[in-house]
């Protein structure tokens, strides 16, 4: 049994927070165990809870289209969520639920060792772009400890707000050059490599843009956090 399969079994039995009481199935994640690129969403919805697989509902259909647009298949990437069990009634995951689940995502990143992590939505962004706002940071990247982090709106955002569909599609098209660049970074030879997932990347300037790409600088600090809090509730996941 691979370490990841073993981990998935542990996640499936996890009872570290209240979400275990109402789930049909935990949704650990799926994809290639040595994927170069990992997509991290928020939390399973109804469809995911039924099937135990990430992004299999309407947002997942759009994610599949997005992957296709850059010639990637699900089997070539790894897809996971910040929270592994479905929060009831479409509610956002609560801070203690995110905290209880953190160790699982940490371990997934340690085992998969992706060179690039794409955050889908606000909760995943908050983990890797602390203090950022999604409207400012989407479509930008930063690199830390040999891993490139790239922020995107959640695919479900396009389902609720049609105008974001084009934005999300454009952001997706920025991934291949970043991925090529990330793949060119040599593996770290030291055992410290397995620790890389525990480090939160420094909030600095976004990566240098590729030809014709627009990269915005990410603001950190009180003003950005304040802006975040004022985003409309129905868009909170994006
Ligand atoms: N939304 C998410 O964030 N994750 C899923 O797996 C499905 C919908």
């Amino acid at each position: 049994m691979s370490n990841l399969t073993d981990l998935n079994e542990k996640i499936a039995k996890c009872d570290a927070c209240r979400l275990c009481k109402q789930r049909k199935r935990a949704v650990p994640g799926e994809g290639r165990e040595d994927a170069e690129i990992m997509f991290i969403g928020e939390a399973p919805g109804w469809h995911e809870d039924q099937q135990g697989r990430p992004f299999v509902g309407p947002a997942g259909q759009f994610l599949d289209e997005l992957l296709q647009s850059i010639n990637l298949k699900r089997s070539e990437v790894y897809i996971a969520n910040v929270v592994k069990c479905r929060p009831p009634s479409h509610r956002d995951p609560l801070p203690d639920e995110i905290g209880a689940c953190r160790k699982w995502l940490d371990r997934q990143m340690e085992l998969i060792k992706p060179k690039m992590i794409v955050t889908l939505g606000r909760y995943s962004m908050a983990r890797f772009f602390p203090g950022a706002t999604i409207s400012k940071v989407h479509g930008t990247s930063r690199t830390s400890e040999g891993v490139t982090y790239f922020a995107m709106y959640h695919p479900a955002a396009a389902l609720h707000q049609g105008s974001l569909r084009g934005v999300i599609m454009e952001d997706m098209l920025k991934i291949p050059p970043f991925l090529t660049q990330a793949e060119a970074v040599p593996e770290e030879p030291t055992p410290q490599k397995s620790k890389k997932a525990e480090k939160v990347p420094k909030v600095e300037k976004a990566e240098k843009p590729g030809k014709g790409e627009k990269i915005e600088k990410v603001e950190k600090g009180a003003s950005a956090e304040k802006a975040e809090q004022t985003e409309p509730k129905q868009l909170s996941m994006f």
Side-chain angles (χ1 to χ4, degrees), residues 31-206:
R32 197 175 158 138
E33 300 209 353
D34 60 352
E36 301 277 31
I37 180 165
M38 188 165 173
F39 290 81
I40 304 178
E42 177 184 327
W46 186 85
H47 297 275
E48 291 76 22
D49 177 68
Q50 294 293 306
Q51 296 186 37
R53 298 179 55 213
F55 282 96
V56 290
Q61 279 171 21
F62 185 38
L63 180 60
D64 287 346
E65 269 180 53
L66 292 167
L67 289 171
Q68 260 181 28
S69 75
I70 56 167
N71 293 318
L72 281 176
K73 299 191 190 83
R74 267 183 180 248
S75 56
E76 293 171 311
V77 308
Y78 200 87
I79 303 173
N81 284 303
V82 170
V83 167
K84 311 301 186 194
C85 297
R86 175 186 174 230
S89 319
H90 297 291
R91 75 156 165 79
D92 291 340
L94 300 174
D96 66 318
E97 294 161 356
I98 294 171
C101 234
R102 188 180 169 104
K103 63 178 183 214
W104 300 129
L105 185 58
D106 285 349
R107 186 72 184 131
Q108 286 176 318
M109 292 188 293
E110 278 177 9
L111 292 173
I112 297 162
K113 300 185 179 65
K115 295 259 176 81
M116 183 164 182
I117 289 182
V118 179
T119 64
L120 301 173
R122 195 167 71 93
Y123 286 88
S124 176
M125 174 205 72
R127 169 79 197 269
F128 302 102
F129 295 81
T133 46
I134 193 82
S135 57
K136 287 193 180 144
V137 82
H138 76 89
T140 73
S141 82
R142 68 169 45 83
T143 299
S144 173
E145 309 268 311
V147 180
T148 298
Y149 299 84
F150 183 77
M152 288 185 62
Y153 280 102
H154 195 285
L159 309 177
H160 298 273
Q161 196 177 319
S163 60
L164 283 178
R165 192 178 172 89
V167 175
I168 295 172
M169 290 173 82
E170 271 178 34
D171 285 348
M172 193 75 177
L173 296 179
K174 292 178 186 166
I175 289 179
F178 284 123
L179 185 56
T180 307
Q181 209 177 14
E183 282 170 343
V185 176
E187 295 275 311
E188 276 178 46
T190 64
Q192 283 180 335
K193 187 171 192 313
S194 65
K195 290 256 169 84
K196 73 184 180 186
E198 288 165 20
K199 292 221 171 186
V200 170
K202 284 184 221 126
V203 177
E204 288 167 352
K205 270 196 170 174

Side-chain angles (χ1 to χ4, degrees), residues 129-133 136 203 218-229:
F129 295 81
T133 46
K136 287 193 180 144
V203 177
V218 178
E219 309 269 350
K220 191 189 177 194
S223 59
E225 273 157 25
K226 200 167 168 213
E228 174 101 335
Q229 283 158 11

